Amino acid sequence: MLQPRVGYQNLKDSYLFFGINQKIEAYRNHHPGAHLYRMGIGDVSLPLCDAVIRALHQAVDDQASRDHFHGYMPECGAPFLREAIARFYQDRDLPVTADEVFVSSGASDELGDLLDLFDVSSTALIMEPAYPAYVDANIMAGRKMVYLTAGPENDFLPLPDDRLQADLIYLCSPNNPTGAVCTCGHLQAWVDWANDRGAVILFDAAYEAFVSEDLPRSIFEIPGAESCAIEICSLSKTAGFTGTRLGYTVMPRKLVRQGMNLREMWIRNRTTKTNGVSYILQRGGAAVFTEEGQRQIYENIRVYKENARVLMRALDQAGIRYWGGKNAPYIWMKCPDGMGSWECFDLLLNEIQVVGTPGAGFGACGEGYFRLSTFGDPADTREAAGRLLKLWGKTT
Ligand code: PLP
């Protein structure tokens, strides 16, 4: 008799945002027409930039022309995009080559698919609070997980120690949900630990473009990373591709475990399991890496950073403790007055119509915290900041 994957039975009932949406729907049923200030889900609010839109239009026209039409694309990515991404690294003196770059349909898809490379007997290390997909993808696969707790005591950046035993290390910097950003020293500690033990780091750099201080944006800035790390990137938040879908992964050729070259395994995997990302999207993606594209995406990122500044100022004035916001599009706030994180969610929704994300949704140690996203509409963000200050400014 067919046995479905039993891991699915161990998944929690509902995905975090499903629970949030149910509460919002219930609120809307009682308050039809109410405007909500959405600082919850990390989805962008600004459209794709002009350089990308023009490239997408041009690519559609190519597909209408006998001379420029493209059929199946190379499974690992179009050379024009792989080369543009490699140059993006090389311009920062990081020696990534085009054949180490793999174009993907986004970081989520990739974070799930990459698990194909590792035996199910390997153990994954999750630093909580964490992006929920890390945990769920490993539960689905039936893989054992160990957890490290991030908290104010380590500035939400735990370090490895000698007792720790794990094979696959998830590192996310800038972090979702805490907004914490690893320093070079911190990443070096993990790289050394992974190289010593033959572990592999899955470095989620979905928010690298938000680093504005002198902090690492890529794990490949760290000596030794090329023999222990895979970097997973996304154009979702960097360039507004959440609904368009495009990402990339850097898999160095030096990454070898038990005599097996992971990059070669990944090529074999991609050529079997995908037929490449659409030509049109890859043309749009390539425009992000042009000078014009970079200038335009940073105009949008500046808007989100201004949202962060507005929210941080309100929290400062209200005397509420928070992390993130400076080099990350998330603000991780301590719920005031000892409130639980769902209690805080209900209070903000019902009293000031501000929607955030309860910290408990990112793991048990997120209880007592609350995540505010800075991807919202600027006018809504200003209003939400004013409402937060009015609610908490006098009481805390
Ligand atoms: N990784 C992290 C840490 C994220 O927060 C997200 C999306 O919110 C993703 C990956 C997924 O990105 P993508 O839209 O490219 O699938």
Side-chain angles (χ1 to χ4, degrees), residues 7 41 49 57 105 124 126 130 133 192 194 229 232 298 326 336 356 393:
I41 191 164
C49 68
H57 280 298
S105 299
I126 314 281
D192 293 345
I232 300 105
Y298 277 99
K326 266 195 195 143

Side-chain angles (χ1 to χ4, degrees), residues 106-139:
S108 269
D109 313 40
E110 200 79 340
L111 283 160
D113 292 351
L114 280 167
L115 293 179
D116 274 4
L117 295 178
F118 307 103
D119 194 86
V120 74
S121 65
S122 54
T123 300
L125 172 71
I126 314 281
M127 294 174 216
E128 281 197 330
Y131 179 52
Y134 303 156
V135 175
D136 288 355
N138 280 289
I139 293 178

Side-chain angles (χ1 to χ4, degrees), residues 122-128 135 138 143-149 163-170 190 193:
S122 54
T123 300
L125 172 71
I126 314 281
M127 294 174 216
E128 281 197 330
V135 175
N138 280 289
R143 182 171 283 104
K144 202 177 127 207
M145 278 173 283
V146 291
Y147 296 89
L148 262 189
T149 302
R163 285 162 302 163
L164 198 59
Q165 286 189 351
D167 307 300
L168 268 183
I169 316 300
Y170 283 85
W190 279 108
W193 187 93

Side-chain angles (χ1 to χ4, degrees), residues 106-108 111 131 134 172 176 204 206-207 234 236-237 245:
S108 269
L111 283 160
Y131 179 52
Y134 303 156
C172 177
N176 177 13
D204 185 340
Y207 299 100
S234 167
S236 283
K237 315 302 163 81
R245 310 304 302 144

